[in-house]
């Protein structure tokens, strides 16, 4: 599916909305799209409206901190992305906070902090 303002088709697994392929061939998050996902409550993979549950993907450190850099996702989209990235785990939630960095934060990327975790 081609989205307005995006120069490529979106595919939830091979070409997710909030990521672009970097110069080294690895996926990189695109800051403005991450923010758009948060503020518009759209999935970072397919760019469709989110319902519940909401899912996040992240590595063990992000899971332990309960703070994710990747935007919110549909559960199925998260499972598809995690299947392609062995270091990612899927966390399900009913709600989240979008936390923007302060001027004193070393990591200038916003985070998503799930606030109502769902088991399973």
């Amino acid at each position: 599916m081609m989205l307005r303002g995006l120069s490529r088709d979106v595919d939830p697994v091979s070409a997710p909305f909030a990521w672009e392929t970097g110069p080294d061939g690895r996926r990189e998050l695109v800051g403005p799209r991450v923010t758009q996902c948060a503020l518009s409550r759209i999935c970072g993979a397919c760019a469709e409206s989110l319902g519940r549950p909401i899912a996040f993907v992240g590595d063990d450190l992000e899971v332990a901190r309960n703070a994710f850099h990747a935007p919110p996702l549909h559960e199925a989209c998260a499972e598809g992305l995690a299947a392609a990235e062995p270091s990612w785990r899927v966390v399900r939630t009913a709600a989240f906070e979008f936390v923007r960095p302060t001027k004193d934060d070393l990591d200038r990327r916003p985070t998503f902090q799930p606030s109502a975790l769902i088991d399973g």
Side-chain angles (χ1 to χ4, degrees):
M1 154 182 70
M2 183 72 100
L3 295 174
R4 186 173 50 133
L6 197 61
S7 62
R8 63 169 172 81
D9 284 340
V10 169
D11 178 83
V13 175
S14 65
F17 172 69
W19 284 265
E20 286 289 343
T21 302
D24 62 358
R26 296 176 56 199
R27 286 187 188 158
E28 298 176 351
L29 285 167
V30 177
R33 289 192 211 143
V34 170
T35 301
Q36 181 181 357
C37 292
L39 300 180
S40 300
R41 293 193 61 82
I42 61 174
C43 177
C46 70
E48 297 290 326
S49 292
L50 287 168
R52 285 192 177 87
I54 299 161
F56 290 95
V57 292
D59 60 23
D60 289 337
L61 181 59
E62 289 175 301
V63 171
R65 286 189 326 210
N66 196 42
F68 298 86
H69 291 104
L73 304 160
H74 292 112
E75 195 168 9
C77 292
E79 294 291 346
L81 287 171
E85 178 55 60
S87 68
W88 281 352
R89 293 178 37 207
V90 177
V91 172
R92 292 158 191 80
T93 184
F96 66 89
E97 295 292 327
F98 179 58
V99 180
R100 296 175 193 241
T102 66
K103 64 180 171 105
D104 298 325
D105 288 333
L106 295 176
D107 187 344
R108 303 294 298 156
R109 298 173 295 171
T111 60
F112 296 89
Q113 298 176 2
S115 56
L117 296 179
I118 299 169
D119 290 333

